[in-house]
Amino acid sequence: MPGTHPSRRATRGLATVVAAGAVLTAFATATPAEASTAAASVGGSQVTCTSQRPGLAGRLSQDIADALRGRRGASALALYDRSTKTSCAYRADAAFDSASVVKVTILGALLRQAAEEHRRPTPHEVKLTTAMITKSDNASTNTLWHQVGAARVRHFLALAEMRDTVPGPKGYWGRTRITAADQLKLLRLLTSDNSVLDRDARAYALRLMNRVIPGQRWGAPAGAPSTTTVHVKNGWLPRETNGWRVHSLGVFTGGGHDYGMAVLSHGNRTMDDGVATVEAAARAVNHDLNLPTAS
């Protein structure tokens, strides 16, 4: 009967609409690419990386492992890269004496205290924090450590969820016990919106870390591309047990970059040995995170 069956033109039109609807439905329900995980061995431990960029997890884990394998002493590493949704960890929960990298934690505690007191850092605090971060001045650190006090440092650590960080005994801030994982939490706080440090506090801390004197800009910046803005704080401390502690914290922003790393080491025979270990790992990270993506 006329009108019982659709015309060929109508049938083709209906098929087109159905197909288009299927494409739209698939697009609407599609999920981001799943992250892949890879691991490589260093001694009895694993460098484990996860990334949403194809191939990056495997490359990073292997290159970091190659950089650290066979080196004297013990090391640890943690990193994040927001651009590629990448993270890596190697012995990230192992404890180390902080040396001077704890100065970023002291700065964070002071900035949090100032915020809770509804004030900006005083001119004297600006002078002290500038010397503490840009020149790693110990006298300024001693003053701020006692001014802020152990209770406020612990308060800041609790807010930052740095649960494995233990302030040094008595006045020994350089013997604060830290982990790479906790240091990475601190770097994340400095580079993202959060309820612990406001925008002005974060900008202040990063500005100081960007102004570290040339002689102390080793470590995490090794191999970083010139297109990045580098923020760094290093620490070094010799003790009778476990030799030289040599650590480096780095944050890299600008030019499409948004990543950070914490590299810790102890048991180094000399400071130069520790710097070489830290920089070997940092070069692997900076190289792999900045490889061009396939077109």
Side-chain angles (χ1 to χ4, degrees), residues 104-152:
V104 182
T105 297
I106 297 170
L107 175 61
L110 172 68
L111 294 173
R112 177 67 191 187
Q113 175 190 355
E116 291 180 352
E117 294 173 352
H118 306 289
R119 64 175 181 83
R120 295 179 179 274
T122 68
H124 185 56
E125 289 170 341
V126 169
K127 180 180 179 180
L128 291 173
T129 54
T130 299
M132 177 176 70
I133 299 297
T134 66
K135 298 187 294 184
S136 206
D137 182 71
N138 289 339
S140 299
T141 307
N142 289 336
T143 299
L144 288 168
W145 178 260
H146 292 291
Q147 174 187 317
V148 174
R152 286 196 181 96

Side-chain angles (χ1 to χ4, degrees), residues 32-38 49-61 81 83-86 288-295:
E34 291 186 2
S36 61
T37 299
C49 296
T50 299
S51 179
Q52 285 196 357
R53 176 179 289 178
L56 182 56
R59 184 183 301 114
L60 260 176
S61 60
D81 178 22
S83 301
T84 59
K85 294 182 172 58
T86 297
D288 289 356
L289 289 183
N290 290 287
L291 286 172
T293 56
S295 57

Side-chain angles (χ1 to χ4, degrees), residues 98-100 102-103 106 138 141-142 145 168-169 171-176:
S98 67
S100 287
V102 75
K103 292 171 182 177
I106 297 170
N138 289 339
T141 307
N142 289 336
W145 178 260
Y172 297 110
W173 44 263
R175 288 169 55 187
T176 296

